[in-house]
């Protein structure tokens, strides 16, 4: 089966590029994957350049151009549905989504902590500064609750007491790059 993916991002786009390298136009088992939509909400996002390396144009829908969260989400839903995507992948998409989105789009989100701990935008810093001896990343289904959907995959590592923040953050990103493509493949295997 051809699985069509929409990838939503807001910034650097390293997870977008990772998906493009590992899944785009590749087959795993009975499924082939294709990124049919790259969608971003910030015109200065570096991820737009990353998509171009794969010959993909990014659709820009800037949230600041909409009166309400719901109006923005309606624009997202329309674009994702138009693309025919089977799954929307939130890969560093820094927007809280309303039921207008969550009730109409099947989506997963990559989050840089072991949920349900450290929800929201400062997860890496909060996880690093915590007393926890492990840290990691999660992939979860998207619902109305911020970082609150059913967890579908996690990877963890032990924190080293002498670890610098930069090394911690690099380890988080390395795990993200492993877990997200694996989770997408597994999502369609089941």
């Amino acid at each position: 089966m051809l699985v069509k993916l929409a990838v939503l991002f807001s910034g650097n786009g390293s997870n977008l590029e990772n998906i493009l390298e590992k899944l785009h136009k590749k087959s795993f088992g009975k499924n082939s994957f294709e990124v049919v939509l790259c969608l971003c909400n910030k015109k200065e996002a570096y991820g737009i350049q990353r998509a171009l390396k794969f010959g993909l144009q990014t659709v820009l829908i800037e949230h600041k151009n909409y009166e309400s969260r719901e109006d923005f989400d309606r624009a997202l839903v329309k674009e994702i549905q138009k693309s025919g995507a089977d799954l929307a992948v939130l890969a560093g998409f820094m927007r809280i989504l309303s039921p207008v989105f969550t009730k109409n789009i099947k989506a997963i989100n990559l989050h840089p902590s072991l949920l349900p701990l450290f929800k929201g935008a400062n997860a890496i810093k909060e996880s690093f500064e915590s007393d926890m001896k492990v840290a990691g990343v999660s992939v979860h289904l998207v619902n109305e609750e911020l970082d609150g959907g059913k967890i579908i995959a996690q990877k963890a590592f032990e924190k080293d007491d002498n670890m610098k923040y930069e090394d911690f953050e690099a380890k988080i990103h390395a795990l993200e790059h492993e877990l997200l493509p694996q989770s997408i493949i597994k999502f369609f295997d089941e």
Side-chain angles (χ1 to χ4, degrees):
M1 163 177 140
L2 175 62
V3 175
K4 297 177 180 177
L5 303 173
V7 182
L8 284 64
F9 64 96
S10 294
N12 186 30
S14 69
N15 282 296
L16 164 70
E17 185 168 5
N18 183 52
I19 290 168
L20 291 169
E21 283 174 356
K22 292 182 179 167
L23 297 183
H24 183 55
K25 299 195 172 173
K26 294 191 169 63
S27 296
F28 299 88
K30 63 185 184 327
N31 296 320
S32 298
F33 294 86
E34 183 180 351
V35 174
V36 295
L37 175 64
C38 298
L39 198 156
C40 184
N41 63 316
K42 294 185 175 178
K43 68 175 181 268
E44 69 281 355
Y46 185 68
I48 295 167
Q49 304 309 313
R50 292 180 190 268
L52 285 172
K53 290 197 303 194
F54 292 83
L56 297 171
Q57 295 292 323
T58 298
V59 173
L60 187 64
I61 301 178
E62 293 185 275
H63 59 275
K64 66 182 184 186
N65 295 338
Y66 292 85
E67 293 275 320
S68 70
R69 193 177 297 280
E70 290 76 15
D71 287 345
F72 173 68
D73 286 0
R74 268 187 274 285
L76 295 179
V77 167
K78 184 177 175 192
E79 200 61 44
I80 293 166
Q81 288 176 337
K82 189 171 90 179
S83 77
D86 301 298
L87 181 69
V89 179
L90 279 52
F93 189 65
M94 304 305 285
R95 299 296 302 161
I96 296 171
L97 297 164
S98 74
V100 169
F101 184 96
T102 60
K103 296 219 181 309
N104 290 293
I105 300 294
K106 185 185 339 177
I108 62 173
N109 182 47
L110 175 65
H111 186 74
S113 79
L114 292 174
L115 291 172
L117 301 171
F118 314 116
K119 295 180 178 185
N122 299 309
I124 297 175
K125 184 174 187 284
E126 290 171 8
S127 177
F128 176 74
E129 291 173 351
S130 80
D131 290 336
M132 288 191 56
K133 301 300 178 201
V134 293
V137 300
S138 304
V139 175
H140 65 91
L141 295 174
V142 175
N143 67 9
E144 295 79 49
E145 184 189 338
L146 174 66
D147 298 325
K150 180 181 179 222
I151 296 167
I152 56 176
Q154 289 182 310
K155 270 197 189 289
F157 65 95
E158 285 190 35
K159 282 166 62 175
D160 178 346
D161 291 338
N162 303 319
M163 195 175 242
K164 290 182 172 56
Y165 179 77
E166 295 71 26
D167 299 329
F168 180 84
E169 188 176 32
K171 181 70 177 170
I172 292 285
H173 293 316
L175 284 184
E176 287 178 335
H177 291 176
E178 272 179 55
L179 189 63
L180 187 56
Q182 290 170 359
S183 300
I184 294 167
I185 293 166
K186 187 174 173 229
F187 191 84
F188 289 96
D189 271 350
E190 296 174 351

